[in-house]
Each structure stands twice: as structure tokens, then as C-alpha cells.
Amino acid sequence: MQKQFNRFKLRTVSAIAAGLLMAHSAWAVDPFTVRDIRVEGLQRVEPGTIFASLPFRVGETYNDDKGSTAIRALFGLGLFKDVRLEVSGDVLVVIVEERPTVADVSFVGAKEFDKDVLKKALREIGLADGQPFDKALADKAEQELKRQYINKSMYGAEVITTVTPIERNRVNLTFNVVEGDIAKIKEIRIVGNKAFSESTLRNLFDLDTGGWMSWYTKSDRYSRAKLNADIETLRSYYLSRGYLEFKVDSTQVAISPDKQDVSITLNVTEGERFVVSGVKLEGNYIGKEEEFKTLVTIKPGEAYNADTVAATTKAFSDYFGTFGFAFARVEAVPEIDRVNNRVAFVLQAEPSRRAYVRRINIAGNNRTRDEVVRREFRQFESSWYDGDKIRLSRDRVDRLGFFTDVGVDTQDVTGTPDQVDLTVNVVEKPTGNLQLGAGFSSAEKLSLSFGIKQENVFGSGNYLGVEVNTSKLNRQLVLSTVDPYFTADGISRALDVYMRTSRPYTGQESLTSTQSLDYALKTTGASLRFGIPFTETDTVYFGGGYERLTIEPGINPLPSTYQAYANQFGYTSDAIPLTVGWTRDNRDSALVPTKGRYQRVFGDWSPAGDARYVRGNYQIQQYIPLNKQYTVALNGEIGWGRGLDQRPFPVFKNFSSGGLGSVRGFQQGSLGPRDAADLALGGPKKITLNAEVIAPFPGTGNDRTLRMFAFFDAGNVFGENDPYRLNDLRASVGVGVSWISPVGPLRLGIANPIRKKVGDRIERFQFQIGTSF
């Protein structure tokens, strides 16, 4: 029977099946002109969203192809789990069933990961509050969460996703997690080794079966990335000792049935040990073969060493780069004599084409302005590529101290063979510090401190700081600001306003005393300094200031030198110090240097005022890398001062020695001349010598923020009329730990004085935050 309104149901399809709808199927309808379009089933989606996705409008002709296109478009919105089209006469009815909306996402039992971080990750893939629920996304998130637990060595972790429908077509999404225990490495085996013992090879690995530092290093947790790194370390160990054909045949990782123990087995083939028989150069060396030969570190007669081969090819590539050949190809081709176990190398070089830098891009600087990085660059855009300038630029950016890592990548410019782009990749570190708290030092005792410091204020590269310290021995209020580029040429300006109070350290102060036992020196002043860069590594400083010194007597009598000074100039005296200085810094890093040299000369001269004097200080530091892990650090410092115009050298300008930063093992500032009351006065002459061997902390791999060191210290301060005498130097040896902590560099030292005299104040354990050497 023919009804007045014939309804033809076209089809109900999924997102994929919608594309298979055929125009001549059993549900097909004859084309007609659409008089009206109605939408049914909407709850939250606006009707306009539907109409905007339809490929036809009222008054246009509808056919089956347009119907198929409409269904695909509506499913493609991701908002509906069912879509139907029905025809009522010449009226088209769009019937939709909306996907439920996510009302809340929660995690139950997840302790290993921060829940806010997990929610943020889900939000990025479209699974968050207010978004349409997609079961496929929920399943994907569940599998990814399981994978992350496996990466944390928690192989027994279980994740169950629960979807709870609630009113208004919404759902609550809950990830229920049972984390279980962390799987630990029970055994590491190396099979096939003959030249080296298994224990020797295992000691090369960052992964191990656990130790006293495993709680920090997590070295007993299996990680595929760490195992791959350890395999490369093993391969490098063999290749650097002559085993040219060493290889790892297989890697087997087994997990116990209870998913708590991991066993690792490496099967290796060592091969024969090869000796280098010769080295020769082939190819185009741009007429500088002799210069390139001086860069060869491969030595005939010695065992094959992959490190020296790599160092030689890199040195060749870098040297080509200094002449603009950014694409130079250098290859060390081995000629192997397996009968005699010898290998010769042919260094083949092709400089390719010379290139210039089109553009320099900065990446990773979310806070620091581009200009702060660019102004340190000595390689310019639209200039010939220069490898030396690029390395110098990288080091200058690293020495800013704003970044934990700085790297420069070179990319070809598509379609332009003689151009490259440079990308400077930086990883920013927090450069601001807001601190309010208490501290304790072996010398300073209990202190309260407040400080606002910003080394990179507003990303400008400027320094701004306010410091307040209430320690028992040294109290200060300092306002400082530094503009490293006060002028466009790189002239810096530093302004300091300060008020400092220092007390002598006798080691006998009472922490509960409310009244000072000894005198205090109070210094109030301000200074202005400018720094002028003369070369890439040399800067000259000059400036001036004003200081007022006040001597405050305590219960005990003043030392005779201080009393004599007060009798001559009064308890309050003025000085107008003019300063000049010079620094040369070519270290590879200001935070954790491993190579390079730092030198500093500083002098101040007060020609007017009550205190008239001249004082100078010279310091040199040298960092020598022994290999990738070990560094030798040397430090030397000498100071000298004298009074002017028949006046004594001001005692409050005396140098001090002893403790961290000078000679460890002796109490802070306790060395040198003393008064009748046995109080250390310091002196106008100083000498300090330090040597350290720095190594990674055991179990931390190559973590540069936590290291240990062994040291030798020697030094002393001398009176104005005393000569520098080596026999009067105090010396100590010991070990220590340095840590780049969130509140600053922390150094701990345990020292044993090996050269001391009767009356010296010994302090074997010392620690302090911020001491550099």
C-alpha cells in the first residue's frame, strides 16, 4: 500500500562502512529537490555544525552520492557514534546519536607518575573533560600507560579502564592501576670474552645488579636505552684496545615468571687484536697536506684505537670547516692484514664545496630572548662558514650560564648547494632564585637568609639580585645589578650597593650567645664598574666606589692592630677605592668546566680618604681533561697589598686563608698572623695552591651535576713585613663531593692536614654552598 509519506531508510553505517554505500544499492532513492532539512537527536552539538558539514542545501538536488558524502563528513567530526539519513517526501531528516562526553578523568593507584602530567598527556590526544568520549583513544591511552610502567621496570603493572555512564549522556573515565613492585636486575652475563674478565667488562656498565647508590642512580632497573648505551660502551672499550672486528652477537633479556627479576646475557666475539702498520693521506687536502698531517693522532706500531681514528677524522673535518668547507667528507679506510694482525689506514678526504651560512636559528629558548644568544655569536649570517667561529660561539653561549646544554646543528639548504643553516639548540635552566630559609655551615654556623636573584631577568641576560644574610659571622645586605651589554659593543656595567658586617672566626663562639664576644667590622658602600671586552676571551674592568668602615668593639679587647688603626683614624673611616681588573676565560663551561683556562687580575687603589692603600690579586685556573670522565683542575692565587702615604695597610682589607676556597682541613680564615688574644687577623699577602682530580660519582654514569674529587691544598697569609716563604705554607689532602643542587653548588670536603704547626685550628670536615674551588 502506498502511504502518504513514504519513508525510505537509507542505511545505518559506521565511519568506515559509510564509504561503501553504493548509489544503486537496495536502499537507493531517486534524486529529488530538497525542500527542507531537519536534524534530530542533538543534545550538545549545535545544528549549525551539522548543516556546515552537509554537501547540499535546501533547494538543491539530493542523490545517493551526496548522501554517502554527508554520512562520511558527519562521522569525520568525531562527535557521533551513529548517523542516519531518512527521506520524508522531499524533506531530508538527519538523525544522529551523539557520543557521550567525558565528564571526568581520574587515576586510581598511580603513584609512579604525577597525575597532573598524565591528565595533560591525555588532553593532548583529545581525551579530557568536555571532549567526546572515544573508546579507541581510551584503549590507546591504557596501552601507553602500561608501556610507560614497563619503561620504569614495573613489568607486573596492571591498568584497567572503567567507563561509568552518568546523566546527560556523559561518562566518567577511570584508570585503575595496580603498580606492583619494581623489577630488579638479578644477573648480567657476558659470554665469549677471553681478553678481559667478565667482572672488568661489567664494571663498564651503568646497569648493574644493585649497590649502595642504587636508590639514587636506579642502576638496577632494566632499560633498553641504558642497555644499548652499555653495549656501545663495551664495543668502544674493545675497539680502543685493538679489537677491530669485535662484535656483539646477541642480547638476551629474560624476566622471571613473577616479573620481579631480570637476567641479561650478552654473547660477544672478540676477534683478533690488530696493530696499526701505517697511515697515509689520499684525496684533496686543498694544498695543506703538511698541516693536516700534524692533526693525525693514529700512531703506527700501537694497537688499533677507534677513538684516535675518530679524533683524527673529526680534526680533519673541523680544519676543513675553518676554510668554509662545511660539507667536507673524511673517511678512514682500513686495509686489514689478517695474517699478521696488522691494519693500515688511508685517510681519504674530499672538501666538496665551500659554503656560507644563510640563517642562524635559535631553538629551545622559551624564556631567553634570541638577541641574548645571537650577540654571543661570532659566526654571522650571510658570511662564509667558519668552523672555528662556530665552536667559539657555542662556547660563549655556554659560558653565559643560562643553559644546561648548548649544541649547534648544521642543515643543508634545499636547492642551494653552497648554503647552510645553523640551529642553536639550548636547554634552559632555572636562572631565578627566591629563597627564604635557614642554613648551616661548618664555619658560618646557623644563619637566616633571604634572597631574590635573577641571572637572566625577563630573558634579557641581565642580572638583578637582592641578598640578605644573618649568619653569626657574616651579615650582609646587598643590591646588585649587571648589564652585560650596556653598550652594543659588549661593554658591561655593574652596580653594587652593600652593607656588610663580619666578625673574626675563633671557633669558640657560642650559638646561644645573644652578645658578641669579639669585635665586628661594618662596611657600607657602593661601587660602579664597567667591563670592556678587548678580545673574545679578554675583558678589562675598571670602576670606582665609596666605602665607610666602622669598627665596633666587643666584650673582649680589640686586637692591637685594630686598636692602633682606630686610634689613628677613628672607629669610623672612609675610603674611595678605584678598581681595575682583567679576566681571560676560555673554559668550555662556566658551571662544570672540563677543559680550558681562567685567569683573573684584580686591583684596587684608594688615593683619598682615611684609608689609603693599594691591593692586587692574581688567580689562574687550568682544567685538563684526562678522558671523557676524569678531569684535573689546578688553581693558583697570589695576593699583595700595602698602605700609602705613610699609612698602614687597612686591616679590614686583609686577605684570609683556611677552609673551603683556600686550604681545606683548617678552620675558615684561621691561618696567618694572630694577635695577643690568638685571634686570626689575616694579612696583606696571600698565596693559595690547589689541585683536584675530578671524577663521576660512583654509580651515576656521566652525570655532571654530581661528582667526587681528590684534592691537595697548600697556602697561607703573611704579615706586611713578612716575606712569602714556602716553609710557612700549610697543606692538606682529602676527598670531597660536589653537587649542583637546586640552591646552588654544594661542596663537601674531608681533609687531612699534612703540613701544620702547633696552634693551627684543624677542621677535617667542611661544607659550603657556592664555593668554586
Side-chain angles (χ1 to χ4, degrees):
M1 179 181 294
Q2 184 71 30
K3 295 184 179 180
Q4 184 178 3
F5 297 101
N6 292 320
R7 292 181 175 268
F8 298 90
K9 182 178 180 182
L10 299 179
R11 209 166 188 179
T12 301
V13 293
S14 65
I16 299 177
L20 302 177
L21 186 64
M22 303 299 296
H24 300 290
S25 66
W27 302 101
V29 297
D30 295 330
F32 65 94
T33 301
V34 179
R35 181 175 61 84
D36 190 19
I37 300 175
R38 295 202 313 267
V39 180
E40 297 179 359
L42 291 181
Q43 298 183 29
R44 292 183 179 82
V45 179
E46 293 293 331
T49 304
I50 301 291
F51 291 123
S53 301
L54 296 178
F56 45 78
R57 300 289 183 269
V58 173
E60 297 180 356
T61 301
Y62 169 84
N63 56 40
D64 290 331
D65 289 339
K66 290 184 177 180
S68 299
T69 302
I71 290 176
R72 286 195 298 269
L74 293 175
F75 271 113
L77 294 174
L79 302 174
F80 311 109
K81 64 179 182 180
D82 192 19
V83 177
R84 303 197 309 273
L85 298 182
E86 295 186 358
V87 176
S88 179
D90 52 4
V91 176
L92 184 68
V93 182
V94 181
I95 303 173
V96 298
E97 182 180 353
E98 291 185 4
R99 291 183 182 274
T101 301
V102 177
D104 180 61
V105 178
S106 61
F107 296 86
V108 177
K111 301 176 182 178
E112 188 69 18
F113 300 98
D114 185 272
K115 295 181 181 179
D116 292 336
V117 174
L118 294 176
K119 287 186 176 182
K120 181 181 179 181
L122 293 183
R123 189 179 301 111
E124 291 175 352
I125 66 172
L127 202 62
D129 302 354
Q131 296 292 326
F133 172 69
D134 188 332
K135 189 176 186 305
L137 287 179
D139 293 341
K140 180 181 178 181
E142 178 181 313
Q143 294 304 316
E144 177 62 21
L145 186 57
K146 289 180 180 179
R147 191 178 69 84
Q148 292 299 327
Y149 273 105
I150 290 176
N151 290 341
K152 292 278 189 176
S153 296
M154 304 177 77
Y155 297 96
E158 297 181 1
V159 181
I160 300 175
T161 306
T162 303
V163 180
T164 306
I166 60 176
E167 72 280 357
R168 298 167 51 206
N169 195 28
R170 297 182 300 162
V171 296
N172 287 332
L173 186 60
T174 304
F175 292 90
N176 298 281
V177 181
V178 179
E179 293 184 336
D181 296 327
I182 298 174
K184 302 294 180 65
I185 298 176
K186 182 180 180 181
E187 182 184 39
I188 299 178
R189 291 289 314 281
I190 300 175
V191 180
N193 57 300
K194 299 177 182 177
F196 307 101
S197 67
E198 189 174 0
S199 60
T200 299
L201 300 179
R202 281 201 304 263
N203 288 335
L204 302 173
F205 290 6
D206 285 338
L207 292 177
D208 56 37
T209 55
W212 65 282
M213 283 295 294
S214 296
W215 62 271
Y216 175 78
T217 63
K218 297 179 175 57
S219 58
D220 57 349
R221 297 190 186 185
Y222 170 74
S223 166
R224 184 64 194 177
K226 286 185 177 181
L227 179 58
N228 289 337
D230 286 340
I231 291 174
E232 290 305 313
T233 300
L234 179 65
R235 181 177 288 109
S236 177
Y237 185 80
Y238 271 95
L239 293 179
S240 64
R241 286 160 175 78
Y243 294 87
L244 176 64
E245 297 179 319
F246 170 83
K247 61 181 180 179
V248 178
D249 298 314
S250 63
T251 304
Q252 301 166 3
V253 180
I255 303 175
S256 62
D258 61 359
K259 299 182 179 180
Q260 297 300 300
D261 297 326
V262 177
S263 298
I264 301 172
T265 303
L266 301 180
N267 295 280
V268 303
T269 299
E270 293 180 334
E272 298 296 330
R273 188 171 183 266
F274 287 83
V275 175
V276 176
S277 58
V279 180
K280 61 181 178 179
L281 276 61
E282 288 184 0
N284 182 4
Y285 285 91
I286 58 177
K288 299 180 181 297
E289 287 84 355
E290 296 304 318
E291 288 90 336
F292 277 95
K293 286 180 180 179
T294 63
L295 302 176
V296 176
T297 57
I298 307 171
K299 297 181 179 180
E302 294 186 357
Y304 162 77
N305 189 331
D307 292 340
T308 59
V309 174
T312 299
T313 57
K314 183 179 185 302
F316 278 26
S317 297
D318 291 344
Y319 195 56
F320 274 119
T322 62
F323 300 102
F325 296 98
F327 306 103
R329 294 189 297 273
V330 181
E331 184 179 4
V333 180
E335 296 179 346
I336 301 176
D337 177 5
R338 292 186 174 83
V339 175
N340 299 306
N341 291 338
R342 300 173 70 84
V343 58
F345 283 95
V346 179
L347 299 174
Q348 299 178 347
E350 175 54 49
S352 187
R353 58 196 181 276
R354 197 177 184 197
Y356 66 90
V357 176
R358 182 188 70 163
R359 184 177 298 121
I360 299 175
N361 304 308
I362 316 296
N365 56 322
N366 299 321
R367 179 174 58 258
T368 306
R369 301 174 189 173
D370 275 11
E371 64 173 332
V372 174
V373 178
R374 291 185 182 277
R375 66 194 184 191
E376 302 299 330
F377 251 69
R378 298 302 178 258
Q379 168 70 63
F380 300 113
E381 295 177 336
S382 301
S383 297
W384 288 114
Y385 179 97
D386 190 322
D388 283 346
K389 290 183 178 179
I390 292 173
R391 286 187 292 275
L392 172 63
S393 302
R394 193 219 72 86
D395 289 345
R396 288 180 61 90
V397 173
D398 197 4
R399 285 197 291 266
L400 289 173
F402 303 156
F403 312 109
T404 59
D405 188 48
V406 180
V408 180
D409 294 331
T410 303
Q411 298 93 25
D412 296 347
V413 176
T414 304
T416 311
D418 62 344
Q419 294 183 15
V420 296
D421 286 341
L422 300 180
T423 300
V424 185
N425 298 292
V426 298
V427 179
E428 292 183 319
K429 74 179 183 70
T431 56
N433 186 358
L434 174 62
Q435 183 178 5
L436 176 63
F440 187 84
S441 166
S442 56
E444 300 289 336
K445 306 304 180 183
L446 185 65
S447 65
L448 299 176
S449 62
F450 169 78
I452 300 176
K453 299 179 183 179
Q454 179 57 263
E455 297 177 0
N456 187 16
V457 60
F458 306 124
S460 65
N462 295 349
Y463 171 83
L464 178 64
V466 177
E467 297 181 58
V468 178
N469 190 290
T470 63
S471 74
K472 185 174 181 62
L473 303 180
N474 291 284
R475 301 185 179 185
Q476 65 178 3
L477 172 61
V478 181
L479 171 64
S480 303
T481 176
V482 179
D483 183 353
Y485 277 80
F486 179 64
T487 68
D489 296 329
I491 296 177
S492 64
R493 181 198 64 190
L495 174 65
D496 295 317
V497 179
Y498 52 88
M499 182 173 66
R500 298 185 177 96
T501 301
S502 62
R503 302 180 186 277
Y505 180 58
T506 66
Q508 299 173 353
E509 286 81 0
S510 171
L511 292 178
T512 60
S513 174
T514 59
Q515 187 176 16
S516 173
L517 296 178
D518 296 297
Y519 62 90
L521 304 178
K522 181 179 292 184
T523 305
T524 304
S527 66
L528 179 66
R529 301 184 309 278
F530 296 92
I532 304 175
F534 278 79
T535 69
E536 299 297 344
T537 57
D538 294 87
T539 304
V540 173
Y541 299 89
F542 67 92
Y546 168 79
E547 284 186 348
R548 166 162 289 187
L549 172 75
T550 301
I551 301 177
E552 297 180 348
I555 296 177
N556 296 329
L558 282 173
S560 58
T561 52
Y562 282 78
Q563 188 63 60
Y565 184 88
N567 292 338
Q568 183 175 1
F569 304 108
Y571 288 92
T572 299
S573 59
D574 299 322
I576 305 176
L578 304 178
T579 60
V580 63
W582 164 79
T583 64
R584 172 176 290 175
D585 188 358
N586 60 8
R587 296 173 299 175
D588 60 341
S589 172
L591 191 63
V592 188
T594 59
K595 64 180 179 179
R597 178 182 296 172
Y598 171 80
Q599 296 182 78
R600 180 180 69 92
V601 174
F602 175 81
D604 53 341
W605 169 47
S606 178
D610 300 317
R612 301 182 185 183
Y613 63 92
V614 62
R615 183 176 64 163
N617 181 264
Y618 171 70
Q619 181 181 20
I620 180 172
Q621 294 181 355
Q622 181 72 49
Y623 296 87
I624 305 170
L626 300 179
N627 53 37
K628 294 181 180 180
Q629 293 183 318
Y630 297 92
T631 301
V632 173
L634 304 174
N635 177 70
E637 185 176 1
I638 186 170
W640 171 88
R642 63 170 296 175
L644 300 177
D645 299 335
Q646 305 301 317
R647 302 180 183 218
F649 184 76
V651 291
F652 54 89
K653 292 295 182 180
N654 277 346
F655 297 105
S656 63
S657 182
L660 286 167
S662 55
V663 186
R664 287 160 282 199
F666 298 86
Q667 288 183 357
Q668 200 78 27
S670 65
L671 297 180
R674 298 181 185 175
D675 67 357
D678 203 32
L679 295 178
L681 300 175
K685 299 178 181 180
K686 174 183 179 179
I687 184 169
T688 301
L689 302 171
N690 309 101
E692 291 184 356
V693 178
I694 306 171
F697 198 84
T700 62
N702 292 322
D703 185 357
R704 298 176 65 191
T705 65
L706 180 60
R707 301 183 299 172
M708 64 181 298
F709 55 87
F711 63 84
F712 167 80
D713 294 341
N716 206 344
V717 293
F718 306 91
E720 186 171 7
N721 299 319
D722 298 331
Y724 292 99
R725 290 190 297 264
L726 295 179
N727 288 337
D728 289 335
L729 295 184
R730 307 300 195 268
S732 65
V733 296
V735 295
V737 175
S738 64
W739 176 38
I740 308 299
S741 72
V743 295
L746 171 66
R747 291 173 72 85
L748 310 176
I750 300 177
N752 178 39
I754 59 175
R755 186 180 180 86
K756 58 185 177 179
K757 292 190 177 181
V758 177
D760 288 343
R761 299 190 177 100
I762 307 302
E763 191 173 67
R764 300 184 186 277
F765 175 76
Q766 296 170 320
F767 69 93
Q768 194 166 332
I769 294 179
T771 302
S772 60
F773 214 103

